[in-house]
Each structure stands twice: as structure tokens, then as C-alpha cells.
Amino acid sequence: MATIVFNHHHHQNSLIVFKDNTSVSTLKTLTTSKAGDSKELAELLTAWKLMCDARYMAETYEANRAICRYVHSTSRGHEAIQIATGLQLKPYDFISPYYRDDAMLLAMGFSPYELMLQLLAKGPDPFSGGRSYYSHPNNRDGNRPQIPHQSSATGMQAIPATGMAQGVQYLEKVHSPLLKTGPAGESPVVVCVFGDASVTEGEVSEAFQFAVLKQLPIIYLVEDNNWGISATAPEVRAMDAYEYAAGFKGLERMRVDGSDFNASYAAMETAIGYVRQERKPILVQACVPLLGHHTSGVRKEWYRAADDLANDQLNDPLPKLRQLLCKHGVAEKTLDEIDRQAATDIQLAFEKAVAAPDPSPGTFADHVFAVTPVTEETGQRSPAGKQRSVMVDAALHAIEEILQQYPEAIFFGQDVGKRLGGVFREAATLGEKFGEHRVYNTAIQEAYIIGATAGLSAVGIKPIVEIQFGDYIYPGINQLVCEVAKSCYLSNGKFPVQALIRVPVGAYGGGGPYHSGSIESTLLSIKGIKVVYPSTAADMKGLMKAAFLDPNPVVMLEHKGLYWSKVPGTLEAMTIEPAADYILPLGKGNIVQSAQPRDIEMGNTACIITYGMGVYWAKAAAKNFPGMVTIVDLRTLYPLDEALIYSQVKLHGKCLVITEEQLNASFAEALAGKIQRNCFQFLDAPVATIGAADLPAVPLNTGLEAMMLPGVEKVIKEINTLLSY
């Protein structure tokens, strides 16, 4: 077993021994202290001022509940471990705090006024512009630790934070200039903070698994106060975080009294030093009292007994630190003066924050997306002398060209590594060509695959990830909704998530109930992401390039039945493969077949609005109505090319929307409603829709599958009915 020894300036004559063995207690911190040097005393006085600030902030909020009406939590009881952590982090470090960490933010250099602006949801709020809760920071100013968007979802930050560590490790490996280090070349660390109740979340386990598997430079700091709102630890957990961490081989761990500033400082100094030097993960469990409310809306007196509160009060970090300072020879009057000054400072900051303006109503829709650089179709779509290519090859070549051009691009997911190259061979050869540090397998962890993109993007990586089948995306929806989709909006534009998420979807002849699903309506209900759905090889390649270059999260739905054009009637999905420079902007539909002008003039035509496999059902059906059908391939489902849709509906007066999804409450039905609202006076018939039957799953038997799906004959019947109006 390796033994790592650190010296601590807080313990001049002490050594802290850290044994690389997770089966026993791995770190012993020494908490005895003698009068220290001037540097230590200065840090203790700084900590005292910050604790006083945090206390008066909590008291001010409580005394002004009518003004502080938005829900919030404070750090009361947690201040020692938080301040000990915040004081030691550097501007080149990364951290994901949690919603009780206002004392930590003070220690990192954020002013009480800045924090109060978010508390009161004011316009000058530097984090979210009045959009998010108190102590939900984000920062990339370069003068303080870098903080991505923070959500309220319990434990969800574990995956994006681990993604940051994953990104840091990659940048180190390739010696990227994107990696920021200390003045003497010190390596950055990542810190992820959460409460003890978070550790019971399954997504925290996914983060731990990945961190120990890849040995990432991350500290998981658990502030354990033994409460999960009103539930006590014995009610809801079989073990604490320290005990739980023992099950993750390679995750170092330690316990510390988080109400003791000296012990907390020493523990975090050790943890940070270990990760900065060894580039391996560690969990720190800090035991702390909860002295405040769970939140301002869930008050402690509702569920906590008086003796329980009194017992926690015995571990208040403030009197403990005051006693330590007195032992160091600091005069009581000096401490009292700092305390009085803190009270004055906080009152002035609060008055200033109250007087700050509210956000301008006109900003409410700003920063849903970052501005994309891709607005025009460029490059060669059909270069001369090239053969037709299947869609799966066009996708493969697009990813290969991206990886060649952008060293910060990586690609990972289930079975995409060099041994298989994807279950559809959509990543074949990429692992061999680019190495296992850039193209690699993950475990079956849809939440991690999707959520890690938020952290990776925050450190400058451009991730491409894959969910193996659309049917299995649902474990990742939590991360997609809470972390990825909201990041740009709630960070006021500072942290858009650049991510290309590939998802094979659709029925393809006997795929069965768990490998044939369509998920576009689920995805389109999530605001803050873009969704593309190509139906040809050329569109696949052009859209994939645009999706990669888009600074926002883009989900690319790739129909398995079109990958190889093996499904009857889909040969036209094969096209000339565009050149490497070809880019097709998102949000641009395409007329793939036009009705004859004479028939249009006579009022004998209809337009079909569709995408994916629907394009080929429409083409086959339209052969029975020569010259009478225009077919629009949407190509992008969000942003949607509404101008093209409405122009064609107005031109023809009759419209059919085709989807492969179960029809009820689908995107297709919503689109039909939108068409009726915007084109009502031009319609000669109700907007028709056709989709799959409203079954819970696609049946395995191919005959039953055909009964469920729209298919050509059903489309023919619908077109005939529509044209008969």
C-alpha cells in the first residue's frame, strides 16, 4: 500500500498519514493546536469575519421574511467546513457547491451583496439575473474558482462535477492550452459538494463509479447534518457517506468534524493536496450540525424537537472558533469589533440589495440558447465523382472528420469503443484511429453519459455521446432536464452546454418493445435543447457537423431502419456523401417532392409534413397520386422551419402530418394544431394526422408491428380522404 504524507502549516510539528486502502479509515487528521504563526492567525481571523458575515446574513433574512420571500437556505452550522474549503480553492480550480453553501461562496471571494442580489432575485444578480434561487452560483470570471450552473435537484451535481474532472483529466493528457493551471504549474482540482441525503441518489453512484474507474481528480465533500428535510439519517440510509465510499475501490475517504474550523482546514488541505498531486478521487465526510431551517419554507420548528435543536447548538462552529482564537491570544474586544463590523456590513449590503432594480421584463426570454455560428448551408453537398453512401457511413465519417479537426472533441457511450465500434457499427474504426482516451466505452449509465456533457462543456471539451437505443434514454432525462437544458438560461448565458447527443431510434422490422421506440415528443417537451432528425445520408452528415458546432445541447435522432437502407422503400436514404466542409444549419426543412404547378392551380394537391421514416412512407404513397403531392422533410424538429411549413400549407390548402410515434398527444398532433391556428383561412380541409397506434410499446412480431405503424397503405388511404374534400 502506498503511503502519502503531507505537512500542514496549521500543525507545524504534525504529519497526516494517508494510506491508500479503502477498507479501513484512511485519513487521520490531528486537531490539537498550539499558538501558530502569523499566517495561521490571519487565516483564523479571516474565518471569524466570514463566519460572522454568514451568521448575520442568516439572521437578517430571518428578520426580514416578508422581503426575503423567495425560498432559500443558509449555511448555519456548516460554516467551518465551508469556509475551510472556500479559502483554499484557487481560481484555476472548479467547484459545484450546493444550495446551503453561502459561507463557502463568501470564502471564495463573493461579496454578501452579490449573494443577496440572488436571494432577492434582482436584475444585477451576477449569477442568474434574477432567475434562480439563493446560493445557486455560477462563475467564470477567472479571479475565483470556476463554477458551472448549479441546480436544486438533490445529488444531480455529482455527475456534471465528475464530468468536469473527466474533462480536466483529458486536457492534461493531451497537454491542451485550454487547461488553466497555477502560477507554478499547479494542477486544478474539482470539488463537488452535497448533503448526506444526496448520497442515496443512484446518480451519485454513477458518478463515483466513473471517478474511480478513470481515477479522476475530484473531491466529493459531503456535509452530513443527519437530516434530509424532516427525515433523519436512521430513517433513510443504511450507512453514511464514509461507509458507502468503502464500496468504491480506489475512492479514498476521510471523516472530519465539520464544525471545527481547524480540523476542517487540515482535512481539506490534505484532500486538496492529495488530489492536486496524485490526480485521484477522494470523499470527505464532514459531520456538521444543522442550526438553520431546511429552507425558509420548511422551518425547523415544524419537525425538530427542542432537545434535538439544543444538542446541535452545542456544536455551533462560531463559539468553537471564538474559543480557539482566544487560545491564540486574540483579545475578546478584537473579536467583538469584528463581529460588530460584520453586523454593520451585512445591514448595509442588505439595504443596497433591497434597493437594487428588479430584472427588466424584456429579458425574461434571453439566453435560452447561445447564438450558433452556423446560419447558412455551406460546402459541397454532392461532390463530383463520389458514390452513394448509406446513412450510417455518413455519420461515421462526419464524426471522424470532427475528431480530426477538433482536438477538444471526444466521443463516448455504450459499446462505441474500438472492440465493437457501436452496435450498429456507427463508430467502427474510430477507437483505433483516435485512441481510447478520445473514443471509449462507458458502463450502462445513461444519466452519466448525458449529464457529464454539462461538466465537460464547462471546462472546454466538446463532447459527442451516444445513448445506445432511444428506449433507454429515460434514466438520462433527469440530467437532460435539470442540468443540461437549463444551464444556459439559469446561468444568464455564461454556461451553455455544447453537446452532441446521438440516439438511434425507430422500428426497423422485429426490433421489439425495447429497441424500436420513438422519443421525439418526450424530448421536444424539454425546453433548452435542440432536436434534429435526418432522413438521408447527406442530411445526416451536414446536420451532424452543424449540431457539433452549435454551442447548445443538440440531440440527433438517427433512425435505425434508415442506417443501412435495408428496410424496403428506403434506398433513397442513400445519397452522395457530402464533402468534409459541408454544413447544413439546423432549423431548415426541405421540399423533397413537389406537386405539379397545374394541379396546384386547380386545387387538386396536398402537402405532407413529415420526417424520418415518414418521408419514405410518404414518397411511396405519393406514387399513387402523380403530380398531386408535395412532401416536406422537416429534418430539424426544434428549431422548426415554420416558415416553410406554413408557406406550403397556404399554397396547397390541404395538409397531412405523418409521424412514426404513437399519435395521441404527440409532436405531430401539436404541429397539426399549430398549422390550423396559423393557416386556418387558407385551409380547404382539416389538417390530417397519421401515426402509430396508441400502444404502450412496439410489439415484437413483425405482423403486429406493421399493424401498429402507419405504413404506406395507411398513408395512401389518408391522402385519398384528404384530396376528396
Side-chain angles (χ1 to χ4, degrees), residues 309-345:
L309 289 165
N311 186 59
D312 264 7
Q313 199 70 45
L314 296 175
N315 283 317
D316 188 338
L318 272 81
K320 284 187 173 184
L321 181 56
R322 185 183 184 103
Q323 184 179 28
L324 178 62
L325 282 160
C326 289
K327 287 182 179 179
H328 276 259
V330 180
E332 292 271 6
K333 65 178 183 180
T334 300
L335 299 178
D336 290 339
E337 177 56 33
I338 293 173
D339 184 82
R340 284 192 296 271
Q341 187 62 50
T344 300
D345 292 345

Side-chain angles (χ1 to χ4, degrees), residues 644-665:
L644 176 62
I645 294 168
Y646 299 154
S647 69
Q648 291 305 305
V649 173
K650 292 174 182 178
L651 179 64
H652 298 280
K654 297 172 183 177
C655 175
L656 170 62
V657 180
I658 303 175
T659 180
E660 185 175 323
E661 280 195 298
Q662 293 93 326
L663 190 59
N664 189 41

